[in-house]
Amino acid sequence: MLFAGSVRLQAIRRENLFRRFSWHFCPPKPHRRALACLAFLLAFFVSASARTLRIRDFHAELDVLPDSSLDVTETIHVDFDGAWQGIYRNIPVEYEGPGGFNYSLFLTDISATDSDGAPLRIEKQRHAENLQLKIFVPAAEDTSRNISLHYRVRDGLRFFEDHDELYWNVTGTGWDFPIESASAHIILPVGVTGLHAANFIGFFGSRSQDARMVILGSNIDIYCRRPLAFHEGLTLVAGWDKGFVHEPRASEKIAQFLDSNWPLFLPVGVFLVMFWLKSTRGRDPRVGAIAVQYEPPAGLSPGEAGTLVDNQAGIRDITATLVDLAVRGFITIEEKETSHLMGLYSNKEYVFHLNKKPAEWKGVKPHELLLLTGIFGNPILGMRDEVALSELQNSFYKNLPGIRRAIFESLVENGYFPHRPDIIRQAWLLVAGVIGAFLYLFGQYLAQHTGMQSLTFTVAAILTGLVIAGFGWFMPTRTVDGVRALHDTLGFENFLSHVEGDHLARTPQSPGNFEKYLPFAMALGVEKKWVGAFDGMLAQPSWYQTTGTAVFHPVGFVYSLDQMAARTGQVMASAPRSSGNSSTSGFSFTGSVGGGFGGGGGGGF
């Protein structure tokens, strides 16, 4: 009534204003005031043709069904002043769920009828987190209509350890017009116990409980004591003992989570695509079977053999190359005990001695050459004959990319790989990064325009990138010759791992064979098994010197050699550090207007 009186008062004021100004401007000086008169006439007719919409009553009936779904009917009494097409109703369907993921309400069985029960046409659109329902009302001009909107809601209840709960924003706070009267009727399953309820009325966040509430048996009625002003709303909370509605099982909760967070299906699809690519394009050719080999694969150094097995030029392959150079007489490795703090404690230091000058480096492969120059220096700029391992700390790491690249290029040049495995992996990592970044950015855009939580899109983008990168790591393939060489290498590894019986008879137990095959055993990770066949038969190798006086033992020697290799690998890879300048109950303190599910708002069109 106050709203209608305000409209009439404004119309009277506009009419008086028009008469006063038209008499003053138009008759006395019609030619000079023509434009002003035309403007006032236009304003008058626009004002006279203005339309208004009033919501006399908003009543919601919520039926809580035993299967935990909600049956909702909203009856809205609307006065149309002027020509209208109908009303629209915005219902939020996207919320923040546990852990920051998305939580969706799923609305079904949506229908609308007019005062006579005739069905009304509905158009559905998404606006951010809201599902907008445009209800077309025929002949909605200077008339009053009762419009009933019906829908079913899945995932509209909340379940706690001690009670189940309906936390429902009845009207919402987004209506374009005041609501003169608002009420709600809640029907719970018959026989519920422990029923308790609360209401909140006012602007968003208000905790005022001014509505009248009546609880009778399993029913709750709520009536607003006053009209709801522009952007005010009514919210209710009802709780009851567990066991009267079906709480979703774990499998159902997982299904609901996936329904609400559908972008997480994207990594699954990408997984299937990458699995297909790996199966069709990321497999080695099939060439025969693996047989025991009693000699190292022809033409392969220890570092190349280790790289061929796992497609990686790792530190193990590089330290095995270092030992191979020592066995071949290029260097000598010296192990020293270094005392500190007046002998309170000591540690081992390793010193590398250069035995052959660059002029004698015949038959040295590119990666072996880079390893020697990385330790002893460039022949042109001057080389050192003796280098302690500690001197390579935080400096040798610059040589590792070149050494690895040389190993891969050698294997490609000899026809074992069609392309460098490290380049293939880098390409797939780049693809994973680009696709992951694109999905992340596109996901943030969708999150803003669909109202879904951005975390869902972020996790989907990260998982997609990880799936691509994971499969891409295993995408490098070998050629037919590469597979044959791999079989020979694995067959030789089998021999080194089982040096007994007829295998041992094929290879005499001599210091020469032990040292010759030791670098391959180290590259393949079977040096401890290989040395077991030579227990008590070997003397201290000339290329590995120690300051100790203990009796030489092959197993102890290999253990010391492993320590040296591990320490060398750590030092070679070391680099200096860079410097640099859950759901909450509506009965808790957070309960307020606009909380829970439902709500939204509406208007006319």
Side-chain angles (χ1 to χ4, degrees):
M1 296 299 293
L2 293 174
F3 180 82
S6 176
V7 171
R8 287 193 294 271
L9 180 60
Q10 291 177 8
I12 293 172
R13 288 177 177 175
R14 282 195 298 268
E15 183 177 357
N16 292 335
L17 185 65
F18 167 74
R19 290 176 177 175
R20 183 167 62 253
F21 276 84
S22 61
W23 175 260
H24 179 74
F25 290 117
C26 294
K29 299 180 180 180
H31 299 290
R32 296 182 181 181
R33 306 299 181 182
L35 293 178
C37 186
L38 180 62
F40 278 102
L41 286 173
L42 180 62
F44 175 79
F45 287 113
V46 169
S47 176
S49 63
R51 57 180 188 168
T52 60
L53 185 148
R54 288 186 297 175
I55 302 176
R56 288 189 177 275
D57 184 66
F58 185 107
H59 178 74
E61 184 167 304
L62 287 83
D63 192 356
V64 179
L65 303 178
D67 64 357
S68 75
S69 65
L70 301 177
D71 190 274
V72 183
T73 300
E74 297 176 351
T75 302
I76 308 171
H77 185 178
V78 184
D79 284 350
F80 296 98
D81 293 335
W84 296 81
Q85 296 186 60
I87 65 171
Y88 64 85
R89 178 77 167 95
N90 291 333
I91 303 176
V93 293
E94 306 293 353
Y95 301 84
E96 181 179 356
F101 284 94
N102 201 63
Y103 188 98
S104 299
L105 291 187
F106 298 96
L107 272 60
T108 59
D109 301 336
I110 301 174
S111 63
T113 58
D114 64 6
S115 308
D116 301 326
L120 300 176
R121 180 165 66 93
I122 298 178
E123 285 186 0
K124 305 173 187 176
Q125 296 178 345
R126 282 296 300 270
H127 291 273
E129 72 277 8
N130 295 313
L131 173 64
Q132 185 179 87
L133 305 176
K134 297 183 71 174
I135 306 172
F136 290 83
V137 180
E141 181 176 0
D142 297 327
T143 185
S144 295
R145 296 290 183 87
N146 271 329
I147 302 170
S148 293
L149 173 64
H150 171 268
Y151 52 90
R152 294 283 292 270
V153 181
R154 181 164 61 91
D155 299 348
L157 297 182
R158 302 199 290 187
F159 301 92
F160 299 90
E161 292 184 1
D162 58 346
H163 73 281
D164 299 334
E165 184 177 291
L166 170 66
Y167 191 4
W168 193 257
N169 192 4
V170 178
T171 61
T173 57
W175 284 91
D176 294 338
F177 306 97
I179 300 175
E180 297 181 7
S181 174
S183 59
H185 179 65
I186 299 90
I187 304 173
L188 299 175
V190 177
V192 294
T193 58
L195 179 57
H196 49 293
N199 68 85
F200 305 100
I201 184 173
F203 295 102
F204 182 84
S206 171
R207 303 192 66 238
S208 174
Q209 301 186 33
D210 292 339
R212 183 167 64 91
M213 186 167 58
V214 177
I215 299 177
L216 182 60
S218 300
N219 298 336
I220 304 173
D221 287 288
I222 299 178
Y223 307 91
C224 287
R225 301 178 187 272
R226 62 175 178 83
L228 297 178
F230 180 72
H231 281 191
E232 282 192 319
L234 170 65
T235 297
L236 67 90
V237 184
W240 57 91
D241 292 338
K242 301 186 70 66
F244 293 94
V245 296
H246 169 71
E247 181 174 357
R249 295 185 294 269
S251 59
E252 294 173 323
K253 291 180 179 179
I254 293 175
Q256 292 173 0
F257 175 82
L258 294 177
D259 284 346
S260 299
N261 297 273
W262 55 265
L264 297 181
F265 283 103
L266 181 60
V268 177
V270 172
F271 179 90
L272 296 177
V273 172
M274 293 301 300
F275 182 82
W276 175 79
L277 288 174
K278 174 61 180 173
S279 301
T280 56
R281 302 183 182 182
R283 286 187 174 183
D284 290 335
R286 295 185 179 182
V287 181
I290 299 175
V292 177
Q293 301 294 321
Y294 301 96
E295 294 286 338
L300 290 178
S301 69
E304 292 171 336
T307 301
L308 185 66
V309 171
D310 59 8
N311 295 341
Q312 300 182 66
I315 288 294
R316 175 188 290 274
D317 303 314
I318 295 173
T319 55
T321 299
L322 182 67
V323 173
D324 185 52
L325 289 171
V327 171
R328 290 155 58 191
F330 286 87
I331 65 173
T332 298
I333 303 172
E334 180 184 4
E335 176 187 318
K336 292 182 177 181
E337 287 285 340
T338 304
S339 298
H340 302 276
L341 295 178
M342 301 178 64
L344 292 178
Y345 78 95
S346 63
N347 66 329
K348 289 184 179 181
E349 173 67 286
Y350 299 94
V351 181
F352 304 118
H353 300 271
L354 182 63
N355 298 332
K356 294 183 179 182
K357 301 300 181 182
E360 304 175 85
W361 291 358
K362 295 181 179 179
V364 174
K365 294 192 173 187
H367 66 280
E368 297 171 336
L369 176 63
L370 291 172
L371 180 58
L372 288 171
T373 57
I375 296 175
F376 298 102
N378 192 298
I380 299 177
L381 300 178
M383 303 187 67
R384 300 170 59 186
D385 294 331
E386 179 180 305
V387 175
L389 178 60
S390 59
E391 297 179 62
L392 304 178
Q393 185 84 27
N394 296 335
S395 62
F396 185 87
Y397 73 95
K398 300 176 182 178
N399 299 282
L400 290 179
I403 295 173
R404 292 188 171 109
R405 182 169 58 251
I407 294 176
F408 284 126
E409 289 177 349
S410 175
L411 292 171
V412 172
E413 290 173 2
N414 287 282
Y416 298 124
F417 289 106
H419 306 285
R420 280 172 46 186
D422 59 330
I423 296 297
I424 299 297
R425 289 194 175 106
Q426 290 171 12
W428 278 108
L429 288 176
L430 178 61
V431 171
V434 170
I435 292 179
F438 171 78
L439 291 177
Y440 170 78
L441 295 175
F442 185 63
Q444 303 312 300
Y445 171 83
L446 287 180
Q448 293 179 359
H449 288 77
T450 63
M452 294 182 63
Q453 301 302 308
S454 61
L455 178 63
T456 298
F457 294 97
T458 300
V459 172
I462 293 174
L463 291 179
T464 298
L466 291 177
V467 168
I468 296 175
F471 274 96
W473 187 261
F474 298 98
M475 288 300 285
T477 58
R478 304 171 184 85
T479 62
V480 172
D481 289 340
V483 175
R484 291 194 179 104
L486 174 65
H487 287 186
D488 291 343
T489 303
L490 295 178
F492 185 58
E493 178 187 356
N494 187 306
F495 161 69
L496 296 175
S497 302
H498 305 86
V499 187
E500 55 190 15
D502 60 335
H503 286 183
L504 189 59
R506 296 291 190 97
T507 302
Q509 293 171 297
S510 65
N513 282 335
F514 172 76
E515 295 179 9
K516 177 181 177 182
Y517 297 162
L518 178 60
F520 287 93
M522 294 181 66
L524 299 174
V526 294
E527 65 275 12
K528 292 182 176 62
K529 295 182 179 179
W530 169 243
V531 75
F534 296 85
D535 192 14
M537 301 181 183
L538 301 177
Q540 178 74 45
S542 59
W543 50 268
Y544 192 90
Q545 302 175 357
T546 61
T547 57
T549 58
V551 177
F552 173 80
H553 194 279
V555 175
F557 165 68
V558 168
Y559 177 76
S560 297
L561 200 61
D562 280 343
Q563 283 188 314
M564 183 278 301
R567 177 58 184 158
T568 301
Q570 292 175 355
V571 172
M572 286 182 170
S574 65
R577 293 187 178 182
S578 59
S579 60
N581 302 329
S582 176
S583 293
T584 304
S585 171
F587 294 101
S588 70
F589 66 92
T590 59
S592 63
V593 172
F597 301 125
F605 67 96

Coordinates of all heavy atoms in Angstrom, one line a residue, residues 224 351 497 499:
C224 N 6.3 -13.8 7.8 CA 6.9 -12.5 8.0 C 6.0 -11.6 8.6 O 4.8 -11.4 8.2 CB 7.5 -12.0 6.7 SG 8.9 -12.8 6.1
V351 N 90.9 -37.8 -5.1 CA 91.7 -36.9 -6.0 C 91.8 -37.7 -7.3 O 92.1 -38.9 -7.3 CB 93.1 -36.7 -5.4 CG1 93.9 -35.8 -6.3 CG2 93.0 -36.0 -4.0
S497 N 74.6 -60.5 -13.2 CA 73.8 -60.7 -12.0 C 73.9 -62.2 -11.5 O 73.5 -62.4 -10.4 CB 72.4 -60.3 -12.2 OG 72.3 -58.9 -12.6
V499 N 76.6 -64.7 -12.0 CA 77.9 -65.3 -12.3 C 78.1 -66.5 -11.5 O 78.7 -66.5 -10.5 CB 79.0 -64.2 -12.1 CG1 80.3 -64.8 -12.6 CG2 78.6 -62.9 -12.7

